[in-house]
Amino acid sequence: SIRPFSSSQEYLYAMKEDLADWLNTLFELELTVGNFVPRLETGVILCHLANMVRHKATEYLEDHPGVRLSVPGDVDISPSGNAEPGTFRARENVAMFIDWCRRRLGVSDSLMFETNDLIEGRNERSFVLCLLEVARRGAKFGMLAPMLIQMEQEIEEEIREEAPPPPQRRVCDLSSLDDMVRELVSRCTCPDQFPMLRVDEGKYRIGNASTLVFVRVLRNHVMIRVGGGWDTLEHYLDKHDPCRCMSRGKCCLFMSL
């Protein structure tokens, strides 16, 4: 099917989709992008996630005593299990998770969210970025990671070893990663097209400065590694390709599986 997305919506959709699948695997849930925020805003699942990270850290450090990491917290968080969305108990649960992230896990303020960002839907992006950072920290203790974090690990390994990246799973039978990249770049109609040149599988030089970037496929999204995080390639191009900046609010058609 075809869904209308603005590129900024696609960026958030891709991350929520990945995190939903991750939490479903960890806790045997049935999260979707549609119910992602409503199911998490009671804070109960978030507190269970914090406890799982703490337990994994304890186990990992017992098996790896020489590793210079610390267990995030001394005791489990005890959420109010019967909290309803929007209630004081839900806010209390979310506040406990936020406090654990900041004080125990050491998540920086730039990656934190506030209670109302989740409860009142004021800033889903901050909430999603915080969850990704929790997953990133958990992965250091051997915890199962979302696909985005696994791709980060592959890229970091590739940089260290200067080895070719592992083969990417195709989104569909008709398009390779390079085909998808070229299709997105070709939407620039300027005579002097915004440059994005393939260097190797999953590796491109982009823009007039020829910045080296890594590109991966996440389900039906083309993702680009940007700094310490991720963006969809389409959203990135909307922000950096001069001809697209003029019509940034324009929706695109996005093909789903």
Side-chain angles (χ1 to χ4, degrees):
S1 62
I2 297 177
R3 291 193 298 264
F5 277 112
S6 71
S7 61
S8 59
Q9 288 174 327
E10 183 199 348
Y11 155 73
L12 193 59
Y13 186 101
M15 292 193 292
K16 289 198 292 187
E17 187 177 45
D18 193 34
L19 288 168
D21 282 354
W22 173 60
L23 291 171
N24 287 342
T25 302
L26 292 180
F27 298 111
E28 298 184 354
L29 303 172
E30 295 182 355
L31 296 179
T32 65
V33 173
N35 69 14
F36 184 76
V37 170
R39 288 290 304 277
L40 296 181
E41 67 176 287
T42 65
V44 176
I45 295 170
L46 299 179
C47 291
H48 290 328
L49 175 62
N51 294 337
M52 179 178 285
V53 173
R54 194 184 77 80
H55 295 165
K56 289 290 185 181
T58 301
E59 294 170 4
Y60 183 83
L61 293 176
E62 286 175 353
D63 294 336
H64 303 81
V67 175
R68 299 181 64 181
L69 294 171
S70 58
V71 176
D74 301 320
V75 296
D76 281 352
I77 300 174
S78 298
S80 299
N82 59 348
E84 295 292 331
T87 63
F88 173 78
R89 287 183 176 179
R91 289 178 176 275
E92 191 174 52
N93 289 343
V94 173
M96 286 192 292
F97 176 75
I98 290 173
D99 182 70
W100 174 83
C101 288
R102 182 174 280 125
R103 296 178 56 219
R104 303 302 183 186
L105 199 59
V107 176
S108 68
D109 287 342
S110 63
L111 293 172
M112 285 302 305
F113 70 101
E114 300 299 331
T115 303
N116 285 337
D117 292 338
L118 176 59
I119 299 290
E120 298 181 6
R122 292 185 180 180
N123 193 337
E124 285 188 16
R125 179 179 178 275
S126 292
F127 170 60
V128 165
L129 290 179
C130 182
L131 272 190
L132 277 174
E133 182 62 16
V134 171
R136 194 175 285 118
R137 302 293 184 92
K140 293 181 178 180
F141 300 118
M143 188 170 166
L144 175 70
M147 284 301 301
L148 277 174
I149 306 303
Q150 293 181 40
M151 291 192 295
E152 287 178 13
Q153 294 170 333
E154 291 173 359
I155 289 171
E156 290 166 2
E157 184 69 20
E158 179 187 343
I159 292 171
R160 283 195 297 269
E161 298 183 359
E162 296 184 353
Q168 278 283 294
R169 177 174 63 86
R170 290 192 172 194
V171 172
C172 61
D173 293 336
L174 302 177
S175 295
S176 67
L177 171 61
D178 195 47
D179 291 335
M180 298 172 74
V181 169
R182 283 189 280 108
E183 194 278 328
L184 288 169
V185 172
S186 70
R187 296 180 189 177
C188 173
T189 56
C190 297
D192 186 14
Q193 194 175 69
F194 189 73
M196 187 164 181
L197 303 176
R198 183 179 185 273
V199 176
D200 203 342
E201 182 66 30
K203 191 183 297 184
Y204 293 80
R205 290 201 177 277
I206 190 168
N208 294 325
S210 295
T211 303
L212 183 66
V213 297
F214 293 87
V215 179
R216 295 291 187 268
V217 174
L218 178 68
R219 298 173 184 83
N220 50 355
H221 309 279
V222 182
M223 308 297 294
I224 181 171
R225 184 85 164 116
V226 181
W230 292 89
D231 200 349
T232 59
L233 178 57
E234 179 143 17
H235 190 225
Y236 181 90
L237 291 172
D238 276 355
K239 293 185 293 183
H240 293 86
D241 181 354
C243 77
R244 300 181 203 225
C245 293
M246 301 297 293
S247 57
R248 189 176 301 170
K250 182 180 178 182
C251 285
C252 64
L253 288 179
F254 186 77
M255 181 70 73
S256 69
L257 286 174

